[in-house]
Amino acid sequence: MDSKGQTIILENVAESGSDNAPADMSDLTDIEIANLKQLRRVKTNDLQLRLDKHGLPLVPQPSTYKDDPLNWSPSWKLFIALQISWLAFLGNFAAAVPNPAFVNISKSFKITVVQASYELTVYIIFAGIGPFLITPIANTYGRRPVYLAGNLLAGLCNVIAGFANSWSGLLVTRVFCGIGSGAAASIGAATICDLYFMHERGLYMGIFTLFLTNGAHLAPLVGGFIAKDLGWKQCFSIPGYIQLATLLLNLVSLPETLYSRKNQLEHREHSYMDLLLFKASRLTDRKMSLADFVRPFYLLKYAAIVIPAFYYMTAFAYGTVLFATTGSRIFTSLYHFNVAQTGLMLSIPLTIGCLIGEGSAGWVTDYMVFRYAKRHDGHRKPEPRLNALVLALLLPLGVIIDGVCLQRNKTIHWIGPAFGMGIACFGLQVATTVVYSYCTDCFKPQSAEVSVILNAFRQIFSALVSFYALPFAEEVSYQSAWITFAMLNLVALIPMLALRVYGSTWRGYLSQAPPKFHNDI
């Protein structure tokens, strides 16, 4: 059956008024079946079925209103996507700018270097916990208020951290910085889903995850020189000033993207000023309840969420956080780097690795989904995106290379560990884009909750790295410790391979039926 025939069948089902697939559609994916209700509404309201450039029905179907984010121009969508990506970048950037200065911080407060790294640990933990409180607000009152308030809180607390004179006072500011910065990380993927159709999400989700990942990688590049020339306190204040300056831009150019597709006949179209002045933010047919705060936990019943979350947390922890939390001490003691050189080492290899990795990720996964659809009568499934994980095997390989080179630091130049770190980040960027794209494809209406779960697994697991990575390496050697971490990531990858083969079947089980909440967005 060609794509035209697929479209005709979908239209016939829409006309039938039935939510159940007929016999000749029994092989449709759950995503396509879930979309039939919307296609039926299109027919019922005598609207034209909208197709993509390949002749396949758009998923989801856009409305006819100009304030529907799906109908906005490509350039305007991209500008908004870049803004929320930049906010996600700034969160991790502000977290990691002080990383090269851990030695300096430890001397100022008379604590160990490992204890100095706890300021990053605290930041990471609360950036993982905060979104559980933030997301219900974003799903009820809109994305825009959450972005603005979160950025304001993070920016102010970062500036205050630059004036902290006690270790406990510094840690308190990092708690609130983490909560504020967690806003963009937790609902950024949901905003991408607000703006883009399924067949476009891989590319633009890749842009978002590229910014999300590389904030922590570019930070040491400037953090080392800031600490060296201006003092470590400015490593906190300067990112805060950047966040506050970004807030001014967002006030006039970041509109509301939360849009309800329920009761379209009663919808009142909003102007651009309405989208800025919060007149379109709140969904009037929805009230926030205590149940909203536990809905992310409901997603833990789904294999298509839990398996990627476990894999992603090991990928992020050992593909970037491992280097960030140990690099200051390792390159100071083994290679006698100063603070600026350490910053360069913790930035350039990781950033280059991620940039090259994303060039092989987002658009590639979109093509894989299209190629599968072309070969299977137009049926779209998220599972073909997982094919790209073969490139994620470079992550554990890079970690092993880094560990081996560190163990032989007297005979191997620092370029060795730099190469290993870059290879690992190539794999990390592929893994990040694939996981976010796959999970939000499976649960688009619940994309905010999906992001909360992925963010929580990533942040909380990564926060623990600073407690055990260096002590473990000192006990068994860098080589053995790093190989152990690489093997943990490989073990977590195995269920992902099973998900590629059986994921569509598993999602068809009654126990894995999609959630019923937020299906209007």
Side-chain angles (χ1 to χ4, degrees):
M1 184 190 306
D2 58 15
S3 60
K4 184 176 180 180
Q6 168 78 0
T7 302
I8 292 173
I9 287 180
L10 286 170
E11 290 177 332
N12 289 339
V13 173
E15 289 175 343
S16 71
S18 173
D19 293 341
N20 299 317
D24 58 353
M25 292 186 66
S26 59
D27 59 340
L28 281 180
T29 67
D30 52 343
I31 290 174
E32 291 168 324
I33 294 174
N35 196 46
L36 291 180
K37 287 185 177 181
Q38 188 177 31
L39 291 174
R40 187 185 65 194
R41 286 196 297 269
V42 168
K43 281 292 181 180
T44 301
N45 297 329
D46 197 25
L47 302 175
Q48 183 179 2
L49 185 68
R50 303 280 291 276
L51 308 177
D52 66 16
K53 62 182 179 180
H54 302 296
L56 299 174
L58 290 172
V59 179
Q61 283 286 300
S63 71
T64 58
Y65 297 103
K66 293 181 180 179
D67 59 341
D68 182 350
L70 293 175
N71 290 326
W72 295 347
S73 70
S75 58
W76 184 236
K77 288 183 182 182
L78 178 60
F79 182 53
I80 296 170
L82 289 175
Q83 286 185 76
I84 62 105
S85 299
W86 174 247
L87 289 174
F89 172 93
L90 284 180
N92 287 332
F93 178 83
V97 168
N99 289 359
F102 283 160
V103 174
N104 307 54
I105 294 173
S106 68
K107 292 178 180 178
S108 294
F109 291 110
K110 295 181 174 56
I111 56 179
T112 67
V113 176
V114 173
Q115 288 175 318
S117 71
Y118 292 167
E119 65 85 12
L120 176 62
T121 302
V122 168
Y123 190 108
I124 291 174
I125 289 175
F126 281 90
I129 295 175
F132 285 95
L133 304 176
I134 292 170
T135 299
I137 299 174
N139 283 333
T140 303
Y141 298 100
R143 321 290 196 206
R144 176 172 163 82
V146 171
Y147 282 128
L148 297 181
N151 195 28
L152 176 62
L153 176 63
L156 288 176
C157 289
N158 272 319
V159 171
I160 294 172
F163 294 92
N165 294 317
S166 67
W167 178 237
S168 59
L170 179 63
L171 290 181
V172 169
T173 64
R174 300 308 270 172
V175 168
F176 291 100
C177 286
I179 293 173
S181 297
S186 63
I187 64 173
T191 303
I192 296 295
C193 291
D194 292 341
L195 293 169
Y196 292 102
F197 300 101
M198 179 181 175
H199 71 280
E200 301 173 312
R201 285 184 208 141
L203 173 62
Y204 295 100
M205 195 68 75
I207 293 174
F208 170 73
T209 60
L210 181 66
F211 277 73
L212 177 67
T213 303
N214 281 283
H217 296 165
L218 285 174
L221 180 64
V222 297
F225 289 102
I226 291 174
K228 179 175 178 291
D229 297 330
L230 301 177
W232 64 263
K233 288 190 175 184
Q234 294 304 312
C235 291
F236 297 96
S237 294
I238 290 177
Y241 294 133
I242 296 174
Q243 287 173 311
L244 294 177
T246 300
L247 177 64
L248 298 179
L249 172 65
N250 296 151
L251 282 171
V252 297
S253 62
L254 183 60
E256 182 57 63
T257 62
L258 183 64
Y259 184 87
S260 176
R261 303 190 181 281
K262 184 178 179 181
N263 299 327
Q264 284 292 291
L265 293 178
E266 301 176 6
H267 178 75
R268 183 180 69 83
E269 192 168 272
H270 294 92
S271 67
Y272 178 71
M273 289 304 297
D274 289 339
L275 299 178
L276 289 182
L277 297 176
F278 310 105
K279 294 183 179 180
S281 293
R282 190 180 188 279
L283 297 184
T284 55
D285 59 345
R286 179 180 300 174
K287 293 183 179 180
M288 191 167 61
S289 66
L290 290 178
D292 293 324
F293 293 91
V294 297
R295 276 177 172 162
F297 297 103
Y298 181 82
L299 296 183
L300 295 177
K301 65 176 281 190
Y302 296 104
I305 295 296
V306 174
I307 291 175
F310 271 103
Y311 169 68
Y312 178 48
M313 76 180 189
T314 65
F316 193 82
Y318 303 132
T320 181
V321 176
L322 175 66
F323 308 133
T325 57
T326 64
S328 181
R329 179 173 172 181
I330 287 175
F331 291 106
T332 299
S333 60
L334 298 185
Y335 293 96
H336 308 292
F337 283 6
N338 60 36
V339 66
Q341 292 171 323
T342 299
L344 292 171
M345 175 59 82
L346 296 179
S347 176
I348 295 177
L350 280 64
T351 303
I352 292 176
C354 281
L355 286 172
I356 299 174
E358 186 51 46
S360 308
W363 70 272
V364 175
T365 66
D366 281 341
Y367 174 73
M368 289 175 173
V369 170
F370 164 69
R371 188 178 63 175
Y372 179 90
K374 188 176 181 180
R375 294 179 178 179
H376 294 80
D377 299 329
H379 297 185
R380 283 194 178 105
K381 290 185 179 181
E383 278 71 29
R385 293 194 191 275
L386 300 179
N387 293 338
L389 285 178
V390 65
L391 296 175
L393 289 170
L394 291 174
L395 194 161
L397 176 62
V399 172
I400 292 172
I401 291 173
D402 185 56
V404 170
C405 292
L406 291 176
Q407 189 63 32
R408 293 162 173 75
N409 64 89
K410 296 186 183 300
T411 57
I412 297 181
H413 195 269
W414 57 261
I415 290 178
F419 179 75
M421 291 160 61
I423 292 294
C425 280
F426 181 106
L428 168 64
Q429 188 58 46
V430 173
T432 303
T433 298
V434 169
V435 166
Y436 268 87
S437 299
Y438 173 76
C439 291
T440 53
D441 274 0
C442 292
F443 302 96
K444 187 271 176 187
Q446 298 81 30
S447 54
E449 284 78 9
V450 168
S451 295
V452 169
I453 291 297
L454 295 179
N455 183 67
F457 274 66
R458 176 188 69 217
Q459 298 294 105
I460 296 174
F461 186 78
S462 297
L464 302 176
V465 172
S466 62
F467 290 101
Y468 64 79
L470 283 175
F472 185 44
E474 291 170 354
E475 184 72 23
V476 302
S477 79
Y478 287 112
Q479 178 174 304
S480 298
W482 266 229
I483 289 177
T484 301
F485 300 148
M487 291 301 104
L488 288 174
N489 177 251
L490 277 175
V491 169
L493 179 60
I494 294 174
M496 291 294 288
L497 302 179
L499 199 61
R500 171 61 185 93
V501 178
Y502 303 109
S504 181
T505 302
W506 292 346
R507 287 188 290 109
Y509 294 156
L510 183 61
S511 63
Q512 299 289 294
K516 297 186 182 300
F517 55 87
H518 303 333
N519 285 330
D520 59 320
I521 59 177

